[in-house]
Amino acid sequence: MVSSTTRQTATDLDVAAIRADFPVLNQEVRPGAERLSFLDSAASSQKPASVIETLDDYYRRYNANIHRGVYQLSEEATQRYEAARHLVADFINAPSARECIFVRNTTEAINLVAHSWGRRNVNAGDVVVLTVMEHHSNLVPWQLLAEEQGAELAFVRMTPEGRLDLDHLDTLLTREPKLVAFSHVSNALGTIHDAVEITRRAKVAGATVLIDGAQSVPHLPVDVQSLGCDFLAFSGHKMLGPMGSGVLWGRRELLEAMPPFMGGGSMIRKVELSGSTWADVPAKFEAGTPAVGDAIGLGAAVEYLSELGMDRVQAHEHGLAGYAFARLGEVPELTIHGPKMTEGRAAVFSFSLGDVHPHDVAAILDSENIAVRAGHHCCQPLMRELGDVATTRASFYVYNDHDDINRLVAGLGRVRQIFGSA
Amino acid sequence: MVSSTTRQTATDLDVAAIRADFPVLNQEVRPGAERLSFLDSAASSQKPASVIETLDDYYRRYNANIHRGVYQLSEEATQRYEAARHLVADFINAPSARECIFVRNTTEAINLVAHSWGRRNVNAGDVVVLTVMEHHSNLVPWQLLAEEQGAELAFVRMTPEGRLDLDHLDTLLTREPKLVAFSHVSNALGTIHDAVEITRRAKVAGATVLIDGAQSVPHLPVDVQSLGCDFLAFSGHKMLGPMGSGVLWGRRELLEAMPPFMGGGSMIRKVELSGSTWADVPAKFEAGTPAVGDAIGLGAAVEYLSELGMDRVQAHEHGLAGYAFARLGEVPELTIHGPKMTEGRAAVFSFSLGDVHPHDVAAILDSENIAVRAGHHCCQPLMRELGDVATTRASFYVYNDHDDINRLVAGLGRVRQIFGSA
Amino acid sequence: MADSLYKEIILDHYRSPRNKGRLDPADYSHEDVNPLCGDEIVLDLRVKDGIVSEVAFEGRGCAISQAATSILTEMIEGRTVEEVKALTKDDLLEELSVPISPARMKCALLGLKCLKAGIYGVGHMHDDDL
Amino acid sequence: MADSLYKEIILDHYRSPRNKGRLDPADYSHEDVNPLCGDEIVLDLRVKDGIVSEVAFEGRGCAISQAATSILTEMIEGRTVEEVKALTKDDLLEELSVPISPARMKCALLGLKCLKAGIYGVGHMHDDDL
Ligand SMILES: Cc1ncc(COP(=O)(O)O)c(C=O)c1O
Ligand SMILES: Cc1ncc(COP(=O)(O)O)c(C=O)c1O
């Protein structure tokens, strides 16, 4: 289903050709206005026609509940649903597709682990290590767990530059935490953490390791086997897939030992009124009718990204990050939060513009058809570290180019003009 | 978005016009073969073009994360997402749209209540009353809860005819259960339970009442205020909506008093490393990026059904049930499970055909382009009551007519022929 | 859109907010936060003989939330408590006289939420109830 | 499709299953259930001098699961345990000689799952490992 535009030959992504694949980016958002510069992919990406058409095809041709129907539509739906699981597994180099559980989003994936693995393995007095930079979705589930179990949360500090303080990690690891959970890439600062090294140290200390891959899987080559982690959570909707799609990968031994999260249809082996036994993974964790079309759509998204090549996606965004640094640096009174260099940094820029509130920045940019995000980015504790309530964030993806950055810079000039700081 | 075919004038549904709205039903499943008779809507319904187009329009025009973006796409997505919530609320006559929580399916809705309300309100020694006819999704979550809390489950018996034994309910109610949870319509037997009366008695006994509306909301007019229940769970995908859509309705006081189910983005008011406070309902229960398009698609499904009129949907299916009774009665060796009359019965027929296994029945029907379901219908305890492992089930919806039933009967003749019982 | 939203009235109240500060002691006081962006406002009220004699607010937030709260304080000073209770969000939006999109509604209403929650003595007010 | 699936070989084994019953005592015994439809099979094995001397099965299920298990018992009688361990699902499917769609695969393989789980002494076998 991926468009036939040839991109294989070039080393760089052909952004014009890619953009042509995304209907949202090719519409007139406001009559007569400039095209949309969509700079909020870290919240949720746009979807290529191949993904939209996969959904459409599903609903028009073979929509049915899976795993149960002995009829043709259901057989096709089941096969494609499971094929999507294999595509996802290959994409993150999972040893087995059965280790990939379809969920709604990263949040559900992490809550699944917190409920199922957590309540069995984290007990009174146990320590769970997180970082001060976590998204609420990788913080609140552990707060809820810790409160319930009487466990304690400890937070790896960050350096003034917005990187994790690995010495502090080592200190916390001496407390022999049951779990170390951290985001691979910070959605607020763009920092790419050294996930391999953090995982290695955590494993040496005997911890189970969960990586929040919401901002890494869409943007870098991610290989669970070379990461060495135990769980990886990510959102399909941030990587060109449908809303409502996400994945939890877990090591088979762990998943098999875990009790169910939700109970219901499809996750059982045998049900009696007095008690039940559970189906094999992944079915054990997919209770009820899944979002079949969305999972299949995620498969199409993975195919699209694979065709682009994740190495090239990463290189493309690295290039954008460099250009964004240079251009944003020209805007007076603009402060970029997080690492001040492109190394170990994703194409996600949180910034402050003088004392203009991010909502006002975003609203004025919106009037120029530039979509950025303003707020705490679900990282209130981190915002407090930055001494701010909110920032403006521009995040980039495969369909963005230098022109988007130029427009952003021009738009910021307009903001300064309106707020009288120019 | 609903097709403009006029149906308002007739009292009966115009099935030909309706069928024309469903792309799946207008394709050639096998070259040269007869049209598809889709008789598995109880598992998941097909979707009208208006729903498919709503999804398509969402992804092509205004896909974005909601509640957060200060830009046009996100504003439109947010508005339509919330408009869908209002449509759903009106559909079940909820006092407030804020009482409607978007979930993936009925299963998640019930697990949400079991985790959040249940762990706070059901304690050691407490009794939860269910029925022997529950779908696994309204049984397993309570088994998990009961095991965890040391509570006890008690099951309302059924009469030989497949109805609930209300005298037995009264007996169980003397034990002052904390919760009574039951399905409004049995997905395996088609029995329509007297939900108003069951709820009334349960409330008199002081119980909280959850109704599993997976098989009622799509097929009958359902009004939470006249039901008098505390929670209603249902699946959007069984009522013409997208896969991945479902709803939990709950009384506001209850929802407001309940702790969160999943933690993460969007469900918080204020997050500190040391603890968090929660957003208002429904946000408190919608952690992470929702399936935005699917919820909006469910809104379109509700509009479609409302235009047909749920009274007429019910009358149509009642007519089909009568015809199915008559015609299936002509098939030798066929036993219909459940109530032997159309009163208090939905257009769902579970049956056995001599000793031919349901899988074989379904496979042979499939070869004639008739899609039925074979299995335990996620009701293993009920199957045991029936003395069977599995049944064949044909379930009907707005796009089915007498011709579907005629074809089913002919197909069953073919089964008997192959298995040599003719 | 930017031009219609960031009119002089908004920018003026944003740059020079009226009644900025705290009242200590206050008869009514309430703090609320916009969970979407973390903006916080605390609003204090003194009431004498059933009339709002003094009002002050503090907090940080966008031009819309700050200007709207500033304008709100001007609207209620000298009014009776009953009049303040009867104040609706439409009254405030009219006074703002700029088009508030749904996404910015929470910003525009944050001060009013504090006022209402404070004067009714409830923990928290929902937008729909304003 | 019905015609190609319900060939004489399937219907014959279904109507007259070979080796139906239980062995007591048995050297290996295993019971499994198809969670999708609730079908159950229990399969017993006697082994003498490393050779399957007797095999029997009981259970209820569709024509495919019953016939496949009946055919399976014929395939393994008189074989060495090593040969039985080496048996793959493809061997069984070939012997069945009818087209098994993915949805029916679990039916066709239920007996083989019992056999493998029993002989390897594991609680439960996954389809993919057959
Ligand atoms: C690092 C990180 N973790 C978790 C999430 C939550 O993702 P979702 O809303 O898809 O559950 C996000 C996205 O906002 C994120 O950036
Ligand atoms: C009565 C009943 N309850 C619950 C469910 C579960 O629905 P879902 O799979 O959408 O969660 C179903 C559907 O199979 C049902 O029929």
Side-chain angles (χ1 to χ4, degrees), chain A residues 28-362:
Chain A
E28 268 199 354
V29 178
R30 290 192 182 82
E34 267 193 280
R35 71 170 177 87
L36 174 66
S37 274
F38 186 77
L39 306 182
D40 193 24
S41 296
S44 195
S45 77
Q46 294 304 333
K47 328 299 177 197
S50 65
V51 168
I52 303 172
E53 284 158 14
T54 296
L55 276 175
D56 200 66
D57 180 51
Y58 166 75
Y59 283 117
R60 286 177 190 273
R61 242 185 7 85
Y62 63 97
N63 165 69
N65 214 323
I66 56 167
H67 290 315
R68 308 169 172 182
V70 187
Y71 54 85
Q72 192 166 318
L73 301 189
S74 178
E75 296 216 0
E76 180 163 359
T78 305
Q79 259 181 293
R80 290 191 181 233
Y81 182 79
E82 293 305 328
R85 200 192 299 284
H86 278 91
L87 287 167
V88 164
D90 289 348
F91 191 68
I92 57 168
N93 196 29
S96 159
R98 277 146 65 194
E99 299 179 335
C100 295
I101 299 159
F102 284 122
V103 292
R104 180 169 41 238
N105 49 30
T106 302
T107 304
E108 187 182 8
I110 295 173
N111 278 277
L112 192 165
V113 177
H115 272 87
S116 167
W117 180 89
R119 295 207 274 148
R120 178 114 353 151
N121 290 282
V122 176
N123 297 306
D126 284 345
V127 175
V128 169
V129 168
L130 310 171
T131 87
V132 296
M133 297 170 73
E134 295 316 306
H135 188 282
H136 295 160
S137 292
N138 197 28
L139 167 55
V140 179
W142 308 116
Q143 289 181 333
L144 293 171
L145 177 73
E147 192 186 316
E148 192 177 319
Q149 302 292 89
E152 190 192 328
L153 304 183
F155 299 91
V156 180
R157 283 193 301 250
M158 78 182 190
T159 68
E161 218 217 344
R163 301 203 183 271
L164 288 177
D165 178 344
L166 294 196
D167 292 337
H168 189 227
L169 169 69
D170 286 337
T171 310
L172 295 181
L173 288 177
T174 61
R175 302 187 57 196
E176 298 183 7
K178 280 288 165 67
L179 176 77
V180 174
F182 65 99
S183 57
H184 193 167
V185 173
S186 160
N187 67 303
L189 298 187
T191 321
I192 303 176
H193 301 303
D194 187 348
V196 171
E197 180 59 18
I198 296 171
T199 303
R200 196 190 61 75
R201 295 190 195 186
K203 299 296 287 182
V204 168
T208 295
V209 175
L210 177 142
I211 297 182
D212 171 353
Q215 297 299 339
S216 61
V217 177
H219 300 284
L220 333 163
V222 169
D223 175 333
V224 291
Q225 299 193 53
S226 61
L227 281 174
C229 58
D230 299 294
F231 296 106
L232 176 73
F234 55 102
S235 299
H237 68 88
K238 292 186 201 279
M239 52 190 280
L240 312 185
M243 303 304 270
S245 66
V247 177
L248 173 69
W249 170 84
R251 271 188 206 289
R252 188 162 156 190
E253 318 84 77
L254 289 176
L255 293 177
E256 282 176 351
M258 280 155 61
F261 172 35
M262 297 197 220
S266 305
M267 54 70 75
I268 56 94
R269 177 174 308 286
K270 194 167 178 171
V271 175
E272 316 215 20
L273 291 178
S274 56
S276 304
T277 54
W278 317 128
D280 292 325
V281 292
K284 178 167 71 177
F285 294 109
E286 294 183 357
T289 305
V292 181
D294 295 332
I296 296 171
L298 176 54
V302 162
E303 282 182 317
Y304 188 95
L305 285 173
S306 302
E307 192 174 307
L308 294 182
M310 288 308 292
D311 284 321
R312 291 201 297 156
V313 169
Q314 182 177 24
H316 170 71
E317 295 186 22
H318 192 71
L320 287 183
Y323 186 72
F325 255 122
R327 292 299 325 273
L328 290 172
E330 297 166 12
V331 181
E333 294 188 85
L334 186 141
T335 314
I336 295 177
H337 302 291
K340 299 292 178 289
M341 40 149 62
T342 50
E343 282 325 301
R345 197 187 206 297
V348 175
F349 291 84
S350 257
F351 57 83
S352 304
L353 185 65
D355 60 2
V356 185
H357 191 281
H359 268 186
D360 298 318
V361 175

Side-chain angles (χ1 to χ4, degrees), chain A residues 68 288-289, chain B residues 42-43 105-108 135 137 183 185 187 212 214-215 235 237-238:
Chain A
R68 308 169 172 182
T289 305
Chain B
N105 49 31
T106 303
T107 304
E108 187 182 7
H135 188 282
S137 292
S183 56
V185 173
N187 68 303
D212 171 353
Q215 299 298 340
S235 298
H237 67 88
K238 293 185 201 277

Side-chain angles (χ1 to χ4, degrees), chain B residues 154-311:
Chain B
F155 299 91
V156 180
R157 282 194 301 250
M158 76 182 191
T159 68
E161 218 217 345
R163 301 202 182 270
L164 288 177
D165 179 343
L166 293 196
D167 291 337
H168 188 227
L169 169 68
D170 285 337
T171 309
L172 295 180
L173 288 178
T174 62
R175 302 187 57 197
E176 297 182 6
K178 281 289 166 65
L179 176 77
V180 174
F182 66 98
S183 56
H184 193 166
V185 173
S186 159
N187 68 303
L189 299 186
T191 321
I192 304 176
H193 301 304
D194 188 347
V196 171
E197 179 59 18
I198 297 171
T199 303
R200 195 190 61 74
R201 295 191 195 186
K203 298 298 286 183
V204 168
T208 295
V209 174
L210 177 142
I211 297 183
D212 171 353
Q215 299 298 340
S216 61
V217 177
H219 301 283
L220 333 163
V222 170
D223 174 333
V224 290
Q225 300 192 53
S226 60
L227 281 174
C229 58
D230 298 295
F231 296 106
L232 175 74
F234 55 102
S235 298
H237 67 88
K238 293 185 201 277
M239 51 190 279
L240 312 184
M243 303 303 270
S245 66
V247 176
L248 173 67
W249 169 82
R251 271 187 206 288
R252 187 160 156 194
E253 318 84 77
L254 289 176
L255 293 178
E256 282 177 351
M258 280 157 60
F261 172 35
M262 299 198 218
S266 307
M267 52 69 75
I268 56 94
R269 176 173 310 282
K270 191 164 179 175
V271 175
E272 316 215 20
L273 291 177
S274 57
S276 304
T277 53
W278 317 126
D280 291 325
V281 292
K284 179 168 70 176
F285 294 109
E286 293 184 357
T289 305
V292 182
D294 295 332
I296 295 171
L298 175 54
V302 162
E303 283 183 315
Y304 189 94
L305 285 173
S306 302
E307 192 174 309
L308 293 182
M310 288 308 292
D311 284 320

Side-chain angles (χ1 to χ4, degrees), chain B residues 30 355-361 363-364 366-368 373-377 380 387-390 414 417-420, chain D residues 1-3 5-6 10-11 14-15 33-40 60-66 103-104 106-107:
Chain B
R30 292 190 183 83
D355 60 1
V356 185
H357 191 282
H359 268 187
D360 299 318
V361 175
I364 292 167
D366 177 49
S367 68
E368 317 255 321
R373 192 159 165 228
H376 51 61
H377 316 299
Q380 288 187 353
D388 233 323
V389 174
R414 176 107 178 85
Q417 198 185 339
I418 288 177
F419 276 83
Chain D
M1 198 196 114
D3 308 293
L5 182 58
Y6 294 96
I10 298 293
L11 291 174
Y14 176 57
R15 294 199 186 105
V33 49
N34 177 345
L36 299 187
C37 61
D39 285 355
E40 294 170 330
R60 45 183 183 177
C62 64
I64 307 301
S65 74
Q66 299 302 299
R104 304 305 296 279
K106 279 189 187 298
C107 309

Side-chain angles (χ1 to χ4, degrees), chain B residues 359-402:
Chain B
H359 268 187
D360 299 318
V361 175
I364 292 167
L365 291 176
D366 177 49
S367 68
E368 317 255 321
N369 269 346
I370 303 163
V372 297
R373 192 159 165 228
H376 51 61
H377 316 299
C378 299
C379 289
Q380 288 187 353
L382 174 62
M383 291 294 126
R384 253 171 246 122
E385 296 265 330
L386 300 177
D388 233 323
V389 174
T391 70
T392 307
R393 183 184 72 185
S395 54
F396 302 88
Y397 208 8
V398 291
Y399 34 67
N400 296 123
D401 59 11
H402 287 199

Side-chain angles (χ1 to χ4, degrees), chain B residues 82 85 97-101 280-286, chain C residues 126:
Chain B
E82 294 305 329
R85 200 192 299 282
R98 277 146 66 193
E99 299 180 333
C100 294
I101 299 159
D280 291 325
V281 292
K284 179 168 70 176
F285 294 109
E286 293 184 357
Chain C
H126 196 281

Side-chain angles (χ1 to χ4, degrees), chain C residues 81-93:
Chain C
V81 170
E82 290 320 304
E83 284 172 329
V84 171
K85 282 187 177 171
L87 204 74
T88 68
K89 65 178 158 191
D90 290 336
D91 296 332
L92 176 60
L93 294 177

